[in-house]
Amino acid sequence: MKAYILDRYGKGQVLRLDEVPDPVPAADEVLVEIHATSLNQLDGKIRDGAFKPILPYKPPVVLGHDLAGVVVAVGAAVRNFKPGDAVYARPRDGHIGTFAERIAVNQADLALKPVNLSMVEAASLPLVALTVWQVLVEQVQLKAGQKILIHAGSGGVGTLAIQLAKSLGATVATTTSAANADLVRSLGADVVVNYRTQDFSTILSGYDVVLNSLDAKTLEASLKVLRRGGKLISISGPPDPTFAKTQGLNAVLRLVLNLMSARIRRKAKQAGVDYAFLFMRADGKQLGEIAKLCEARTIRPVVDRVFPFAKLNAAMAYVDSGRAKGKVVVSLRDRAVS
């Protein structure tokens, strides 16, 4: 099969298209023919080497964290999927590789594709949708009447977080540029802050939750908008000791991460705010719940551009530019397959 291979770590490295052996599914795995995959900032960070201490992949390696496709074979222990099923997934860490024509995915990471979405639309969802679900539903348990600030509302995570937060009954504020204000309002944002001309930390106050995906400066400024007892969740770092323990990292890495997050944890404590870093995990059951929300039209994917498989490196460069609204998808078919 054809796959894009990272031969060595390095900022902006070009992935090499080559032939690699077809994957053979283990007893608890499902072999999927990939119809579409989407790109995430995580792919670029792994390529650049930024995540080597946490996700130590050894090049040559195939990247890619999202897929939508069709089951072609199942392992002996698989009971919930069969050849011909249309599925979507975010394969677990250590078993990624969706920049390829086929992949073997653990059955626990897989879910049936939302019936009302094309393959392209479905492929845009898994990583960002799971991130949003695990922050809003699982970790902070967002409730009706609460107020949440979602940074970078026009991004892949932001566009879904706005929709899910609104469906849970929250009041939603978001930061974005003037060019994307209409987009985030159409998704349900109640308050839109133009980050180029306005300082969100002087405009907003009394918020229950902040979801941060931006830099350290934005993270610290976010403390000012939270009430005492509020929750500051970051998906862009710095990782905290709880994350290090959950990942089973060695003592040296635990110490490093403890030092990296010491400043924000100290400032959060002074402000009476809970700080936590979230690194999403694969979860097929949660994708099943997300599929229901899509089918009920409670949430909808936002796809900026679709690139052909032959131009995957161009798609990576576009994601690196930071200009994408919603998600960037790569189709392995000439057109979207519903």
Side-chain angles (χ1 to χ4, degrees):
M1 69 173 184
K2 292 180 180 179
Y4 279 90
I5 300 162
L6 176 68
D7 288 311
R8 60 185 179 278
Y9 289 119
K11 191 168 182 63
Q13 281 288 333
V14 174
L15 306 183
R16 172 174 56 88
L17 180 62
D18 206 346
E19 295 283 339
V20 300
D22 276 11
V24 177
D28 59 352
E29 290 184 328
V30 176
L31 181 63
V32 180
E33 179 183 69
I34 299 173
H35 287 203
T37 180
S38 72
L39 282 66
N40 297 281
Q41 291 184 354
L42 178 59
D43 300 303
K45 289 180 179 179
I46 292 175
R47 174 204 60 198
D48 296 347
F51 272 52
K52 279 194 290 185
I54 298 172
L55 298 172
Y57 293 108
K58 294 181 179 180
V61 62
V62 179
L63 300 182
H65 293 78
D66 285 321
L67 72 92
V70 174
V71 174
V72 294
V74 299
V78 174
R79 296 290 179 267
N80 295 327
F81 301 96
K82 64 184 185 304
D85 283 345
V87 294
Y88 76 142
R90 190 289 205 196
R92 63 189 56 186
D93 294 323
H95 297 271
I96 64 170
T98 64
F99 295 169
E101 292 180 315
R102 286 176 286 282
I103 188 174
V105 183
N106 190 290
Q107 61 179 334
D109 302 343
L110 204 63
L112 295 176
K113 179 183 75 67
V115 297
N116 60 325
L117 299 186
S118 69
M119 289 290 184
V120 162
E121 291 170 324
S124 75
L125 289 173
L127 186 146
V128 292
L130 285 170
T131 300
V132 169
W133 182 276
Q134 288 165 20
V135 171
L136 301 188
V137 176
E138 194 172 68
Q139 187 153 353
V140 307
Q141 299 176 15
L142 192 67
K143 297 178 176 62
Q146 290 189 313
K147 298 195 299 182
I148 182 172
L149 167 60
I150 296 165
H151 283 296
S154 64
V157 169
T159 52
L160 287 178
I162 291 169
Q163 295 178 76
L164 183 57
K166 285 302 295 181
S167 76
L168 294 171
T171 296
V172 178
T174 192
T175 56
T176 192
S177 65
N180 295 325
D182 287 344
L183 169 63
V184 297
R185 287 193 182 96
S186 75
L187 298 172
D190 300 290
V191 181
V192 179
V193 179
N194 182 343
Y195 73 89
R196 296 184 189 276
T197 60
Q198 297 175 296
D199 180 355
F200 72 89
S201 68
T202 63
I203 296 172
L204 308 176
S205 63
Y207 275 65
D208 301 283
V209 180
V210 174
L211 171 54
N212 178 66
S213 56
L214 300 174
D215 57 20
K217 182 179 178 181
T218 304
L219 183 66
E220 287 195 16
S222 296
L223 291 170
K224 299 177 183 178
V225 313
L226 286 162
R227 63 169 177 80
R228 294 192 70 82
K231 297 180 180 181
L232 175 57
I233 310 296
S234 179
I235 60 173
S236 55
D240 58 7
T242 301
F243 166 78
K245 182 178 180 181
T246 301
Q247 292 292 107
L249 301 180
N250 63 47
V252 173
L253 281 175
R254 290 202 301 270
L255 177 60
V256 170
L257 296 187
N258 184 62
L259 292 172
M260 286 174 60
S261 62
R263 177 184 172 90
I264 187 63
R265 288 187 290 110
R266 182 178 66 254
K267 286 183 170 292
K269 185 176 181 180
Q270 291 170 350
V273 168
D274 279 340
Y275 170 74
F277 169 74
L278 184 133
F279 191 78
M280 61 77 57
R281 68 183 189 282
D283 193 314
K285 288 185 178 179
Q286 290 181 356
L287 283 179
E289 294 302 311
I290 291 162
K292 293 176 186 176
L293 293 177
C294 292
E295 290 166 356
R297 291 178 168 75
T298 302
I299 61 174
R300 62 178 176 87
V302 177
V303 176
D304 183 306
R305 291 182 62 181
V306 181
F307 288 78
F309 191 52
K311 293 187 177 181
L312 188 140
N313 279 302
M316 289 280 285
Y318 183 60
V319 172
D320 290 342
S321 75
R323 298 194 305 268
K325 303 174 186 177
K327 292 297 296 293
V328 175
V329 179
V330 169
S331 175
L332 281 74
R333 299 299 178 100
D334 290 336
R335 56 190 176 86
V337 181
S338 59

